[in-house]
Amino acid sequence: MAGNNDLMRGNPPGILLLRSMRGKDWSLKTYKYVVLLITFIAYTSYHASRKPSSIVKSVLHPHPFLNETVTNPWPIGPLFVEREVLGPIDLGKSKKKGWEPFNGEDGTSKLGEIDVAFLACYSIGMYVAGHLGDSLDLRLFLTTGMIGSGIFVGLFGMGYFWNIHAFWFYLLMQMVAGLFQATGWPSVVAVIGNWFGKRKRGLIMGIWNAHTSVGNISGSLMAAAVLEHGWGWSFILPGAFIFSAGIMVYLLLPAYPEDLGFPYPHQPSVEHSSLTNDEEAQRVKENMAENGQVDIRRFGSVNRTSVGLLDAFQIPGVIPFALCLFFSKLVAYTFLYWLPFYLSRTAIGGKYVSVKTAGNLSALFDVGGIIGGILAGHLSDKLDARATTAASFMYAAIPSMLLYRKYGGASKFMNILLMMIAGLFVNGPYALITTAVSADLGTHSSLKGDSRALATVTAIIDGTGSMGAALGPLLTGFLSTKGWDAVFIMLVVGALSAGLLLSRLVLVELTEKFSERLACGEHNSGGCVSEPLLRDQR
């Protein structure tokens, strides 16, 4: 009876209500769709709540000589708007332009300090959040992080209505928000890893990872839509979005299949059966529960144990992928934070574009990133070679970035094309490592019993990567004063370093592939098992 109570405690109240109303349970496939949808919305809301600061920067610290009207970004507004140089404009609430303390000569540096403080707290908090995510109920942990994020993002915007001009207030709100935001990525990746086995994980997570770009775009739309009513609303609306999404997670997200009576997909007896359809999964569920072959409850949200940070670091592949992501995120986040600035100060087809157009164009880099994430995930599944795929994309990013630097200003068409290609190769390995690779390592065969390391491993990898995310934009601020060629040299060095750090893992993967083909050649009389079948049975 106690076991049943434990199992019931892991069930989301919304699922229990729907189950009682329907009179029967959903199938395994339906639950997987529910998990994909809810985690997609959840992390979309995380990224949407991070976007307002980039939209509001031009209001807090406006350019004194550019005619910039604040309107909806693409795809609602026009893509290209040429830059016009007129007289100074008043974007602030008071007679003085901008918003103190960000409208002085050191305004840009203060805005930069807020960004760095957010990323630093996010990176540090990631390590703690990962361990807590594996120790606590993921659904409750994720809900707490989302509600806390919503509150502190909203409080930043309340500074407008409360007429607060103290720099420490805005710095503190961003730092605390960064700590709460650190709960998101380890948790959602762990939930997806709990529900999906290794088969086709790269493709599934590559498509699912589009939430990053969807969140960036939706956050821009929300922040810009209410900006004319006061910049505070640009924070309050996304804050309300992630707060509401947190309530949805609490009500509807089943974090573990075991809580609902389904078998843990990474248990050997289940993994080898490959649960290809709902009927088979339901049969395994019933057999395990009724015949007592495996106690499903002990792997659920209540009774499972976590793995320590040091143990997680010792999982083969964690350190190389974490260091690789450091440089991969350094490159990706430099584009994220500085691409609009670069576009507004670089002639495209002989003309300069407005800041609004620069923001519109930078969104197309994310579109290329969505394609890259899906492609990298699919190829890594097909080849069963995560490291080789990630390293290949990083090496391919080098010529794509150099081509963009050299020929991106030739015309609007060339700029868009080369930017999307660069986004494909830059964001492809970044998406692959933070999703499928993290889930693979978090369920590595070296883990024993009911220990779990999904959130911890994801936190180690993405937390290390977030340090690079903070370093890249910081270095760019210094190097850009010496010329943009210096910035692109830094990006090339970063991409090359990311690829080289995976060299040992690439060599291991290629050696395994060569050995498999050699074995097939020696047994070509029919005794060789096909490579896809071998991959599915791992």
Side-chain angles (χ1 to χ4, degrees):
M1 192 68 179
N4 291 330
N5 291 334
D6 282 348
L7 187 59
M8 190 66 71
R9 280 162 54 194
N11 275 279
I15 294 292
L16 292 174
L17 178 62
L18 290 172
R19 185 186 289 173
S20 64
M21 292 173 61
R22 295 179 74 244
K24 61 179 181 179
D25 201 3
W26 282 334
S27 66
L28 176 65
K29 183 181 292 186
T30 301
Y31 275 119
K32 286 186 175 182
Y33 285 137
V34 169
V35 168
L36 283 173
L37 177 62
I38 293 177
T39 52
F40 187 95
I41 295 173
Y43 211 69
T44 295
S45 70
Y46 269 98
H47 264 264
S49 66
R50 297 174 194 173
K51 197 63 179 176
S53 61
S54 64
I55 300 297
V56 171
K57 275 183 174 121
S58 61
V59 176
L60 300 178
H61 183 76
H63 195 294
F65 302 111
L66 296 182
N67 181 28
E68 297 290 348
T69 57
V70 181
T71 56
N72 286 330
W74 177 86
I76 292 180
L79 181 61
F80 276 98
V81 177
E82 291 184 14
R83 192 170 73 186
E84 298 178 13
V85 181
L86 295 176
I89 55 174
D90 185 0
L91 292 174
K93 184 180 178 182
S94 63
K95 293 181 180 180
K96 196 172 183 179
K97 297 189 301 295
W99 185 267
E100 295 180 4
F102 304 107
N103 60 347
E105 292 183 359
D106 61 344
T108 53
S109 64
K110 285 184 176 178
L111 290 169
E113 288 172 18
I114 283 180
D115 288 338
V116 172
F118 173 87
L119 288 170
C121 290
Y122 177 81
S123 177
I124 295 170
M126 186 78 72
Y127 291 97
V128 180
H131 182 67
L132 290 176
D134 280 332
S135 305
L136 305 174
D137 186 338
L138 276 172
R139 177 174 60 90
L140 300 179
F141 183 64
L142 185 58
T143 298
T144 303
M146 295 176 73
I147 290 177
S149 296
I151 291 172
F152 282 94
V153 169
L155 283 175
F156 190 102
M158 288 303 297
Y160 171 83
F161 300 99
W162 294 337
N163 202 31
I164 295 177
H165 298 281
F167 175 67
W168 67 264
F169 172 82
Y170 299 104
L171 184 67
L172 180 62
M173 293 304 102
Q174 283 290 79
M175 291 175 69
V176 179
L179 291 174
F180 275 106
Q181 290 265 322
T183 61
W185 191 241
S187 299
V188 294
V189 172
V191 170
I192 294 296
N194 287 334
W195 277 92
F196 293 88
K198 188 175 180 182
R199 188 171 180 267
K200 294 187 178 180
R201 179 185 280 166
L203 177 61
I204 292 170
M205 285 190 158
I207 298 172
W208 171 77
N209 194 61
H211 51 49
T212 299
S213 298
V214 173
N216 290 338
I217 295 171
S218 61
S220 298
L221 293 174
M222 282 190 286
V226 295
L227 189 55
E228 60 183 300
H229 302 294
W231 64 260
W233 287 109
S234 296
F235 286 88
I236 292 174
L237 184 58
F241 176 36
I242 190 172
F243 188 99
S244 302
I247 300 299
M248 178 196 66
V249 165
Y250 173 76
L251 293 175
L252 297 172
L253 179 64
Y256 309 91
E258 308 92 295
D259 288 341
L260 301 175
F262 292 102
Y264 181 50
H266 307 295
Q267 277 302 107
S269 59
V270 175
E271 204 167 5
H272 291 310
S273 68
S274 296
L275 300 186
T276 55
N277 53 60
D278 285 341
E279 291 79 9
E280 186 175 353
Q282 191 67 30
R283 187 167 61 252
V284 172
K285 171 183 174 179
E286 293 171 356
N287 289 340
M288 287 182 170
E290 294 177 7
N291 300 333
Q293 293 176 354
V294 175
D295 185 1
I296 295 174
R297 290 185 299 273
R298 75 185 180 93
F299 301 110
S301 59
V302 181
N303 296 317
R304 289 174 64 185
T305 59
S306 63
V307 168
L309 274 175
L310 291 178
D311 292 331
F313 268 111
Q314 294 174 11
I315 297 174
V318 166
I319 293 178
F321 274 115
L323 294 176
C324 172
L325 190 64
F326 176 93
F327 289 101
S328 178
K329 263 195 155 182
L330 181 150
V331 176
Y333 270 67
T334 297
F335 276 100
L336 177 67
Y337 279 95
W338 284 93
L339 185 56
F341 185 87
Y342 171 77
L343 288 167
S344 66
R345 284 156 176 77
T346 304
I348 301 175
K351 297 179 180 179
Y352 288 87
V353 298
S354 68
V355 173
K356 173 179 177 291
T357 296
N360 293 341
L361 283 173
S362 65
L364 297 176
F365 183 86
D366 279 327
V367 174
I370 293 174
I371 300 171
I374 296 172
L375 183 61
H378 175 67
L379 289 176
S380 69
D381 280 343
K382 196 77 175 175
L383 302 174
D384 192 22
R386 307 282 198 219
T388 304
T389 303
S392 299
F393 270 66
M394 289 311 308
Y395 291 139
I398 295 174
S400 71
M401 290 188 295
L402 293 177
L403 287 172
Y404 178 66
R405 170 60 181 159
K406 186 170 180 62
Y407 299 107
S411 67
K412 295 174 182 177
F413 173 77
M414 286 297 293
N415 191 283
I416 291 174
L417 177 63
L418 293 175
M419 186 195 312
M420 291 182 68
I421 292 174
L424 185 152
F425 287 117
V426 168
N427 282 353
Y430 161 40
L432 178 65
I433 294 171
T434 54
T435 55
V437 169
S438 296
D440 287 350
L441 296 175
T443 55
H444 195 269
S445 58
S446 62
L447 298 171
K448 299 177 181 179
D450 60 351
S451 61
R452 50 183 172 177
L454 272 166
T456 304
V457 168
T458 302
I460 289 173
I461 292 176
D462 201 48
T464 305
S466 295
M467 294 180 186
L471 180 62
L474 190 65
L475 290 176
T476 302
F478 170 73
L479 293 174
S480 61
T481 61
K482 302 180 180 298
W484 287 104
D485 286 338
V487 174
F488 276 83
I489 289 174
M490 177 195 75
L491 296 175
V492 167
V493 172
L496 179 62
S497 300
L500 291 175
L501 282 165
L502 296 180
S503 296
R504 187 182 64 82
L505 296 178
V506 170
L507 184 61
V508 170
E509 287 181 349
L510 294 179
T511 302
E512 288 180 355
K513 295 297 173 187
F514 179 76
S515 300
E516 287 177 5
R517 293 187 179 277
L518 188 62
C520 286
E522 293 175 352
H523 299 85
N524 56 12
S525 58
C528 180
V529 181
S530 66
E531 192 171 333
L533 184 58
L534 281 171
R535 188 167 58 247
D536 291 343
Q537 290 178 345
R538 289 179 185 175

